[in-house]
Amino acid sequence: MKLFSFILYLFVLAFLISGCVSHQPDKKSPKPFEDIPDRWASWDTNISDSKKQIFWADTFNDPLLSEAIRTAWSGNPLLISQAEQTLARGEEAVIIGANLSPQANLGVSGSRSKRNLIGFNLPNGSTSFTSNSFNAGLNIGWEIDLWGKLKSQKESAKKQFERASQDYEGARLSIAGQVAKTWFEIIENQQQTILARQTMEIFGTNQSFVAKRFQKGLATSLENDLATSAFASAQASHSMRLREKSQSIRNLQSLLGVYPDGEVDWNVSQALPKLSLLALPSTPTAALENRPDIISSRLQLEASGFDLSASRLNRLPSLSITGGPGSRAENFEDLLDNQFQTWEVGGSLTQPLFQGGRIKAQIRRADALKQSSLANYRATALRAFTEVENLLFNETRLQAEEAYLKTASTAAKSAAQISWDRYQSGLQDIFDALDSQRRFFDSESSLLNIRKQRAINRVNLFLGIGLPALQTEP
């Protein structure tokens, strides 16, 4: 009865101490900024406000692109590694959460000892004896979490697991974006290669034409050298385009998790996508709700709040109960005999008194990490807002640039044909004719490049707001 009274006294004392300390962590995370606008500042009339769920890979209407994204999700080794790390984070939360529950261990032990009794007058004249001792029992221990220190540690681990899950989702989204952007680079490189080959063929024809005229004395050495130089430059440009195409293909294969041999076993689209009217959520808060990196930063802030709470609670005493049933006997076979059964119950209340400043330092450290997490949360949100604003502005400007380059290409094509006809008629020198052809091919190349930039900007914009890539995920 005295033992139970002692344990009850420990409970009451611990309860009174805990009532004197405030230890509740912050339940809500603050907004990164108080003055977040209701609409993107760079919103344009060419962009529509969408209330529906958007899966951005489907907007490009390319099933092969969607298939490549799914292949990367299942085969990219870095993504697989991060998935396993996320699972490990989940198990860490389980391990830390187990501290809230009683711990039970079943044990069996045995020993044999010899004792010397020199000086004792034993009946048989022996001066020593041996004895056996066997023990078996269920040992139960429980640190009672009266004020929530262990619960705070568990919640922190849970938030870290949720954060790791968001980091994994962010990595999946990033991989999908990298695949799409590399995909469009391959398409553009294919078209640039075709254009470079056409350029090379035309300049080769021109060089042969001028060389024949030079042999007949109808063209000067300057004209022949200019034509030869233009043809050689076109050959170098074609070689560069082949090299860039091969590099893009190998980059894509690396993302897919296959050996980068530079060969593809599927038919990549031959044309860059025709971009339709852009439909996006119009409010910046959508990025706060969708972007995995922002959600991860917020979860880190919440976890640091629980860490700070647990650090403060280290100042309070810890209450533990130990004990359990068992048995003790000299013979092993008697351990299951009811006559040798035993039990033990104990309690302890430990109050930290002097730790050399360790606990205070832990509190200051946890508070500094929380403030750092808050600043990082704001920095992540600010970076996201900046990215989206720039990408929205680029969306409108790139569309206008494409229209201008399309007009320039059409005019340059006509000018190149007229200029070459005038050279053949002797009305214009070869320098102007070659320069006109070069401007046409340059304008065509710039048009292809701006179309690729629009597609990549569109992907970056989807990523910036945090929209999912595909509806059906493996």
Side-chain angles (χ1 to χ4, degrees):
M1 181 64 68
K2 291 182 179 180
L3 177 61
F4 288 105
S5 299
F6 173 70
I7 295 176
L8 180 61
Y9 171 76
L10 293 180
F11 271 106
V12 174
L13 180 60
F15 178 77
L16 292 176
I17 294 175
S18 64
C20 300
V21 180
S22 175
H23 52 263
Q24 291 295 327
D26 296 333
K27 298 295 184 181
K28 296 182 179 179
S29 299
K31 291 183 178 180
F33 300 99
E34 295 297 334
D35 55 346
I36 299 177
D38 296 331
R39 199 174 186 85
W40 297 106
S42 301
W43 195 262
D44 188 83
T45 55
N46 293 323
I47 307 173
S48 65
D49 186 6
S50 175
K51 304 298 183 182
K52 298 180 180 180
Q53 179 64 63
I54 299 173
F55 301 96
W56 58 259
D58 295 334
T59 64
F60 295 110
N61 298 316
D62 191 341
L64 292 176
L65 171 59
S66 299
E67 180 182 348
I69 291 174
R70 291 192 177 93
T71 301
W73 279 346
S74 61
N76 186 276
L78 292 178
L79 195 59
I80 295 173
S81 173
Q82 189 154 359
E84 296 300 328
Q85 292 178 9
T86 303
L87 294 177
R89 282 287 189 178
E91 298 305 328
E92 288 179 6
V94 174
I95 293 171
I96 295 176
N99 294 330
L100 285 168
S101 303
Q103 310 295 311
N105 299 288
L106 182 63
V108 178
S109 63
S111 65
R112 180 179 177 84
S113 62
K114 177 182 178 180
R115 296 186 180 182
N116 294 317
L117 301 175
I118 299 175
F120 290 88
N121 188 15
L122 298 178
N124 57 1
S126 300
T127 59
S128 65
F129 72 95
T130 59
S131 63
N132 298 325
S133 178
F134 295 94
N135 297 277
L138 182 65
N139 301 316
I140 301 175
W142 185 21
E143 181 179 351
I144 302 175
D145 191 32
L146 289 178
W147 36 81
K149 179 181 71 174
L150 299 180
K151 184 178 180 181
S152 293
Q153 293 174 349
K154 177 183 178 181
E155 289 298 324
S156 175
K158 182 179 178 182
K159 293 296 182 182
Q160 292 291 359
F161 168 61
E162 293 174 358
R163 180 196 176 200
S165 299
Q166 287 298 321
D167 289 341
Y168 173 66
E169 290 301 322
R172 281 170 59 90
L173 192 60
S174 176
I175 288 293
Q178 292 178 59
V179 169
K181 288 183 284 188
T182 306
W183 188 271
F184 297 142
E185 286 180 357
I186 293 175
I187 296 175
E188 190 238 359
N189 284 331
Q190 286 178 330
Q191 295 180 334
Q192 293 280 14
T193 301
I194 294 173
L195 178 62
R197 185 175 65 248
Q198 293 173 350
T199 305
M200 182 178 63
E201 291 173 353
I202 290 177
F203 279 117
T205 302
N206 293 347
Q207 195 273 337
S208 298
F209 175 78
V210 175
K212 291 179 181 179
R213 287 174 57 87
F214 176 68
Q215 292 174 356
K216 296 177 181 180
L218 300 177
T220 66
S221 60
L222 175 61
E223 292 176 327
N224 186 59
D225 290 341
L226 288 173
T228 301
S229 175
F231 179 48
S233 297
Q235 289 176 310
S237 179
H238 181 255
S239 177
M240 180 191 68
R241 296 301 182 184
L242 289 173
R243 173 170 51 84
E244 292 177 345
K245 176 185 175 182
S246 179
Q247 290 177 352
S248 297
I249 292 175
R250 287 187 170 87
N251 291 338
L252 178 62
Q253 290 175 319
S254 178
L255 291 171
L256 300 182
V258 299
Y259 187 81
D261 56 9
E263 301 293 334
V264 292
D265 56 357
W266 66 87
N267 293 321
V268 179
S269 304
Q270 298 299 315
L272 289 165
K274 295 182 179 180
L275 302 181
S276 58
L277 178 67
L278 180 60
L280 291 174
S282 61
T283 168
T285 56
L288 297 178
E289 298 170 356
N290 297 333
R291 275 187 63 140
D293 58 340
I294 297 181
I295 299 175
S296 175
S297 298
R298 189 189 72 238
L299 291 170
Q300 176 60 42
L301 175 60
E302 295 174 1
S304 64
F306 285 109
D307 290 337
L308 177 58
S309 175
S311 298
R312 289 170 175 168
L313 292 172
N314 283 329
R315 296 175 297 183
L316 298 177
S318 59
L319 176 63
S320 301
I321 296 178
T322 59
S327 60
R328 180 178 301 171
E330 292 186 359
N331 298 315
F332 183 78
E333 59 270 16
D334 293 334
L335 289 177
L336 299 180
D337 193 331
N338 291 335
Q339 295 181 358
F340 297 92
Q341 289 185 351
T342 61
W343 61 268
E344 181 180 1
V345 177
S348 66
L349 181 66
T350 305
Q351 170 64 53
L353 293 180
F354 179 73
Q355 299 289 328
R358 180 185 297 109
I359 295 179
K360 291 183 178 179
Q362 289 174 343
I363 294 174
R364 293 193 299 268
R365 173 180 177 273
D367 184 60
L369 291 176
K370 181 181 178 181
Q371 297 303 319
S372 174
S373 297
L374 176 58
N376 182 66
Y377 178 42
R378 290 174 174 169
T380 303
L382 182 60
R383 182 174 63 250
F385 295 152
T386 303
E387 289 176 359
V388 175
E389 291 288 0
N390 285 333
L391 292 166
L392 282 171
F393 183 80
N394 292 345
E395 181 75 19
T396 303
R397 292 296 91 206
L398 288 171
Q399 184 178 2
E401 290 171 27
E402 181 182 358
Y404 296 144
L405 286 173
K406 188 174 182 180
T407 301
S409 177
T410 302
K413 181 178 181 181
S414 176
Q417 183 61 49
I418 294 173
S419 181
W420 185 252
D421 291 342
R422 288 172 60 85
Y423 167 72
Q424 290 180 317
S425 302
L427 300 177
Q428 184 173 310
D429 59 45
I430 192 172
F431 179 81
D432 292 335
L434 293 176
D435 187 57
S436 297
Q437 289 181 335
R438 189 178 297 108
R439 279 199 300 267
F440 164 62
F441 290 118
D442 288 345
S443 63
E444 281 289 295
S445 178
S446 298
L447 182 59
L448 291 174
N449 182 264
I450 203 67
R451 287 172 176 168
K452 180 199 69 174
Q453 289 186 42
R454 282 197 65 195
I456 290 179
N457 188 81
R458 182 69 63 90
V459 173
N460 288 333
L461 187 52
F462 288 138
L463 297 178
I465 298 182
L467 298 180
L470 294 171
Q471 182 175 10
T472 304
E473 299 182 352

